[in-house]
């Protein structure tokens, strides 16, 4: 009995140690799981995460964990996915930057790659750190070195166009690079886009579709429509030689200007033709009329018919006090003679002004580019036949317009990366 009594203290000590271990070991595992970077993966070897440069445009130089970026005076410059965080454990990182370049405050969740967008505020220049941290003490960072340049953000190319002229000009560029001035094809641009920068400002722009209304004609018979190839356009005011920049970038969403419709096309159009009752002026009669509204203009497209020709025309109003028109005449083959032809005659006789014609009717000056808009035949001459060249009209009630500008130079520029 005594030997058994002596064994009891030993048994009680072992029991107490067992009970202590049963309580301590789960608590130890919980504490390790709580404080470890990857929870149940705490005993795995390797880094928590990896931070590196992501997919960057061709104009960004990336070296190790340093990105050489640009900023713009016009708007924030966004670099989608410029930084990539690769997580090796199911956790999240805290993200921050010293210049407000990162919008996300937390990155991660499951193991995998997480692209992080970088946005450089307008006008910023200098060094900016993008920091990633974890409560466990892990940290990493990417250095952004930013240079401020006079360039529209996000565009890799631009056209540089030097124009010389006076007054308001309406400039468009088509997807094929054709450069139009007041609807008239004037040159070829190496870059087409919807962002126009002039005198340090981004101009209000429009995106207006055009389509071929009569196929198979050269030059093509095109007019504004509800669908088709888009032309981008903007108004700028010239006072001598100035530079316009066109960027390959989407239109800014700026809404539409409140512009009233164009006035009626009040002009003598047609030819004097013989009839059994005597000479009659063959004026057109409107058969179709459609109105389109762009962000900057109201456009009225019409088709009209006469005995000897068909007329395809559109007029458009503008927010700058001018309005314009484009006319195409298609005369049928005929042996008729005439003494007077008017492709466009608002009144009086046209005067030559460089490569254009000018009418002065009332308080409005009509600038006309194209074939002679009005002429008299003595002796009689034949009525025109076939398609006539386009007639481009700019109507100026202000008395300040001085005609289409000269295009002095056009070149393309590509934004290249910079490095120290």
């Amino acid at each position: 009995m005594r030997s058994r009594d002596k064994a009891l203290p030993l048994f009680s000590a072992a029991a107490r140690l067992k009970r202590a271990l049963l309580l301590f070991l789960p608590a130890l595992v919980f504490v390790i799981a709580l404080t470890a970077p990857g929870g149940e993966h705490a005993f795995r070897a390797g880094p928590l995460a990896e931070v590196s440069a992501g997919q960057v445009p061709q104009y960004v130089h990336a070296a190790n964990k340093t990105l050489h970026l640009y900023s713009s005076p016009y708007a924030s410059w966004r670099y989608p996915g410029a930084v990539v965080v690769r997580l090796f454990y199911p956790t999240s990182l805290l993200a921050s930057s010293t210049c407000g370049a990162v919008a996300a405050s937390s990155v991660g969740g499951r193991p995998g790659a997480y692209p992080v967008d970088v946005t450089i505020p307008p006008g910023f220049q200098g060094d900016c750190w993008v920091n990633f941290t974890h409560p466990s003490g892990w940290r990493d960072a990417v250095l952004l070195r930013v240079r401020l340049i006079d360039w529209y953000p996000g565009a890799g190319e631009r056209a540089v166009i030097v124009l010389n002229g006076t007054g308001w000009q309406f400039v468009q560029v088509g997807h094929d690079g054709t450069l139009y001035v007041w609807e008239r094809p004037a040159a070829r641009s190496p870059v087409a886009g919807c962002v126009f920068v002039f005198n340090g400002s981004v101009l209000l722009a429009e995106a207006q579709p055009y389509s071929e209304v009569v196929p198979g004609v050269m030059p093509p018979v095109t007019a504004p429509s509800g669908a088709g190839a888009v032309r981008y356009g903007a108004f700028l005011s010239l006072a001598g030689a100035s530079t316009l920049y066109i960027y390959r970038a989407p239109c800014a969403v700026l809404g539409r200007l409140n512009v009233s419709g164009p006035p009626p096309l009040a002009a003598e159009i047609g030819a004097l033709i013989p009839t059994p009752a005597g000479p009659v002026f063959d004026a057109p009669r409107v058969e179709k009329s459609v109105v389109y509204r762009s962000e900057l203009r109201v456009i009225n497209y019409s088709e009209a018919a006469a005995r000897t020709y068909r007329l395809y025309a559109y007029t458009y109003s503008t927010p700058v006090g001018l309005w314009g028109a484009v006319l195409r005449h298609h005369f049928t083959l005929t042996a008729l003679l005439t003494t007077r032809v008017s492709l466009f005659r608002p009144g009086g006789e046209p005067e030559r002004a460089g490569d254009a014609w000018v009418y002065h009717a009332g308080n409005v000056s009509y600038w006309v580019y194209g074939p002679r808009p009005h002429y008299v035949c003595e002796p009689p001459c034949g009525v025109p036949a076939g398609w006539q060249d386009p007639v481009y009209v700019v109507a100026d009630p202000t008395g300040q317009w001085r005609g289409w500008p000269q295009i002095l130079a056009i070149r393309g520029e590509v934004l290249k990366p910079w490095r120290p």
Side-chain angles (χ1 to χ4, degrees), residues 269-271 281-284 304-311 329-332:
I269 299 174
F281 193 79
D282 195 14
R307 296 184 186 182
T308 58
Y309 65 94
R310 188 168 183 84
L311 176 65
H329 305 75
H330 184 211
F331 285 88
T332 58

Side-chain angles (χ1 to χ4, degrees), residues 61 78 98 110 113 124 131 139 151 173 246 260 281 293 394 401 406:
H61 172 64
R78 185 170 177 265
T98 58
R110 296 181 178 183
F124 176 81
N131 299 302
R139 64 178 58 246
W151 197 282
V173 62
I246 300 178
S260 58
F281 193 79
R293 293 182 179 270
V394 175
W401 204 68
Q406 293 177 297

Side-chain angles (χ1 to χ4, degrees), residues 11-84:
F11 176 77
S12 299
R16 287 195 298 271
L17 177 62
K18 183 177 180 180
R19 284 195 299 270
L21 290 175
L22 288 176
L23 293 174
F24 174 73
L25 287 177
L28 177 64
V29 172
F30 175 75
V31 170
I32 292 175
L34 182 65
T35 59
E40 67 272 18
H41 302 272
F43 297 102
R44 290 179 56 181
L48 171 68
E50 178 183 86
V51 178
S52 61
Q55 295 293 326
V56 293
Q58 51 83 23
Y59 51 81
V60 172
H61 172 64
N64 298 323
K65 294 183 181 181
T66 300
L67 300 178
H68 293 81
L69 308 180
Y70 291 108
S71 66
S72 170
Y74 304 113
S76 298
W77 201 313
R78 185 170 177 265
Y79 297 86
V83 177
V84 172

Side-chain angles (χ1 to χ4, degrees), residues 108-135:
R110 296 181 178 183
Y114 293 86
V116 178
D117 297 343
V118 170
T119 302
I120 305 300
F124 176 81
Q125 180 165 283
D127 290 349
C128 176
W129 288 95
V130 178
N131 299 302
F132 299 92
T133 59
H134 190 270

Side-chain angles (χ1 to χ4, degrees), residues 7 14 63 68 75 89 92 119-120 141 158 197 205 241 308 327 373 379 381 388 390 412-414 419:
H68 293 81
Y89 301 100
S92 295
T119 302
I120 305 300
R158 71 180 181 183
V197 173
T308 58
L327 299 85
C381 59
Q388 306 301 297
E413 290 183 345
V414 176
R419 63 191 73 187

